[in-house]
Amino acid sequence: MAAIIAAEAGVRDIHVLEATAEPLQKVRISGGGRCNVTHACWDPRSLVGHYPRGQKALRGPFARFACGDAVAWFAEHGLDLVEEADGRLFPRSNRSSSVVSALRQAARRAGVTVHLGTSAQQVARREGGFALQVRVSGASTLPLLAERLVLATGGHPSGRRLAVSLGHTQVPPVPSLFTLTLEAQALTSLAGVVMDPVQLTLELPDGSRVQQDGPVLITHWGLSGPATLRLTAFAARALHAARYRAQLLVDWTGGRSEQQLTALLAAARSDQAKRQLANARPWPELSRRLWLHLLQSQGVDPAQRWADLTRRNQQALVQALRRSRYSVRGRGPFGEEFVSAGGVPLDELSTAHMESRSVPGLYMAGELLDVDGVTGGFNFQHCWTSGWLAGRAIAAASQSAICQTGI
């Protein structure tokens, strides 16, 4: 994005150093191969609330280029996005390859040169710019000079290493956006059950609490789904500090009060009096498998009639539905965290231009920075925004240099 924006504004001799054999692989595999490009969150003031780290600093950048701008930009470059019911925006083709093609074609038309299998090993400041040592396909390093440099290496440690070598600091990265492994083995029989909405409350050893609502997927090891991913994003550092040990309270009712739930169960005792508990759930959206699990967890016979449910058992079920407690014992088993929390602190940059405050001509964008969003297209949106700002700033600086030379 940074390269395209700068090139479209007239900057020449732009080179992208791509360490892999194929660019934009993270885009290609994202969203199960569909690529959640951005989110239908049109107000920048609301948009910043989806970033556990970087909220305040992102107000300015999103005021200049936010979700609506990204939608318009991709449309101008031949990619139409379609909004889904939950606000996520995907390419109309429903294929991430369409996003990859749009970006590569835009770069080609703008005159950007992409070098595959090429990585910067070292960077040093020099008069008028930067001296890089570049490795091409595993061969010995070659020198390269650049007037301006953009670091956009995502979560890969190489970018953080280069930034530190140029005098920047880094917030140590930790995993973010991951599933939770629970000690409750009984939940394993419920793998595949989806409940929406669910309210999750994480109680951490330091006494802090983090809460999120939304869809939850029960897995063979614990919990996944959007609400779980958002929860772990906002609690990423606290969970890391606690070695991923915490208590999790689950409100399977989606936030119904104790009074509302008591009334629902009392109504079922009256209206469904002759039916077995197993065959008549308190409300239709409650998963039957989950309902049976909760009955058994409270020692209530599923074959019992609603009319025979004691008030004591009724109260126990109310508590189980509203405050099931589970012990968290780790992240999901596959190391499937989507992004990292950490990187170069935003206060070391001018976020209006994504330019280093201490190293003129050095720009940074994307996940290299200490910014991460929740699931739903927000991490990509920050990439588009920071890349757009860096590209615009490079174009403005290049034009200023031309004018000064002319004088």
Side-chain angles (χ1 to χ4, degrees), residues 30-372:
S30 69
R34 299 172 62 210
C35 187
N36 182 185
V37 177
T38 185
H39 202 96
C41 184
W42 312 122
D43 184 352
R45 293 170 298 182
S46 299
L47 180 58
V48 296
H50 296 280
Y51 295 83
R53 282 146 290 274
Q55 289 187 13
K56 185 177 180 180
L58 289 175
R59 292 175 186 172
F62 286 148
R64 296 186 63 194
F65 191 92
C67 301
D69 303 295
V71 172
W73 189 89
F74 277 105
E76 291 168 2
H77 291 78
L79 183 75
D80 290 331
L81 302 179
V82 177
E83 180 182 348
E84 297 199 340
D86 59 3
R88 294 180 300 166
L89 287 157
F90 291 88
R92 187 176 297 278
S93 67
N94 223 21
R95 296 194 302 270
S96 60
S97 58
S98 299
V99 185
V100 174
S101 295
L103 290 166
R104 296 193 69 174
Q105 289 172 13
R108 193 178 301 115
R109 287 194 300 266
V112 174
T113 302
V114 179
H115 303 269
L116 301 179
T118 305
S119 59
Q121 300 297 301
Q122 296 179 5
V123 178
R125 298 173 67 179
R126 63 180 291 275
E127 185 177 353
F130 303 88
L132 292 81
Q133 290 295 318
V134 175
R135 177 168 292 168
V136 181
S137 299
S140 58
T141 58
L142 302 171
L144 178 68
L145 301 180
E147 292 182 16
R148 294 175 182 84
L149 176 65
V150 180
L151 296 179
T153 52
H156 197 274
S158 59
R160 295 192 294 271
R161 177 177 53 79
L162 293 175
V164 169
S165 75
L166 290 168
H168 280 277
T169 63
Q170 68 163 320
V171 177
V174 300
S176 182
L177 283 180
F178 49 86
T179 63
L180 291 174
T181 297
L182 305 179
E183 289 183 355
Q185 296 300 315
L187 281 180
T188 59
S189 64
L190 304 178
V193 168
V194 176
M195 285 292 295
D196 181 23
V198 171
Q199 187 176 86
L200 301 177
T201 302
L202 194 66
E203 295 182 341
L204 292 148
D206 64 3
S208 62
R209 292 161 64 96
V210 181
Q211 188 176 93
Q212 287 292 326
D213 301 350
V216 164
L217 167 67
I218 301 176
T219 68
H220 290 292
W221 60 89
L223 296 181
S224 183
T228 308
L229 297 177
R230 286 198 299 270
L231 186 79
T232 58
F234 278 93
R237 291 207 168 277
L239 276 169
H240 178 76
R243 299 184 178 181
Y244 303 98
R245 297 293 192 272
Q247 292 295 304
L248 183 67
L249 296 179
V250 182
D251 181 351
W252 300 108
T253 75
R256 287 182 171 91
S257 69
E258 184 170 343
Q259 292 76 15
Q260 290 173 321
L261 199 54
T262 299
L264 269 176
L265 267 63
R269 289 175 63 194
S270 173
D271 301 339
Q272 310 287 341
K274 295 182 179 180
R275 299 187 64 186
Q276 292 182 346
L277 293 169
N279 299 325
R281 291 160 287 169
W283 65 93
E285 295 79 15
L286 176 61
S287 161
R288 185 174 186 273
R289 289 168 63 193
L290 176 61
W291 174 235
L292 290 174
H293 163 71
L294 293 174
L295 288 171
Q296 292 163 356
S297 72
Q298 300 305 309
V300 179
D301 184 1
Q304 185 179 6
R305 297 188 313 162
W306 270 101
D308 299 326
L309 181 67
T310 66
R311 293 194 180 277
R312 180 177 179 180
N313 283 344
Q314 175 181 302
Q315 186 58 30
L317 289 172
V318 166
Q319 292 305 310
L321 285 162
R322 289 192 69 247
R323 293 178 62 84
S324 287
R325 179 178 289 271
Y326 306 100
S327 294
V328 176
R329 62 180 179 88
R331 306 199 307 272
F334 307 125
E336 83 292 50
E337 52 271 5
F338 294 92
V339 297
S340 60
V344 176
L346 282 176
D347 60 9
E348 296 184 8
L349 278 71
S350 164
T351 52
H353 310 103
M354 307 313 295
E355 185 176 15
S356 167
R357 295 184 186 277
S358 59
V359 187
L362 174 65
Y363 303 81
M364 295 182 229
E367 195 184 346
L368 166 68
L369 302 171
D370 186 23
V371 175
D372 60 289

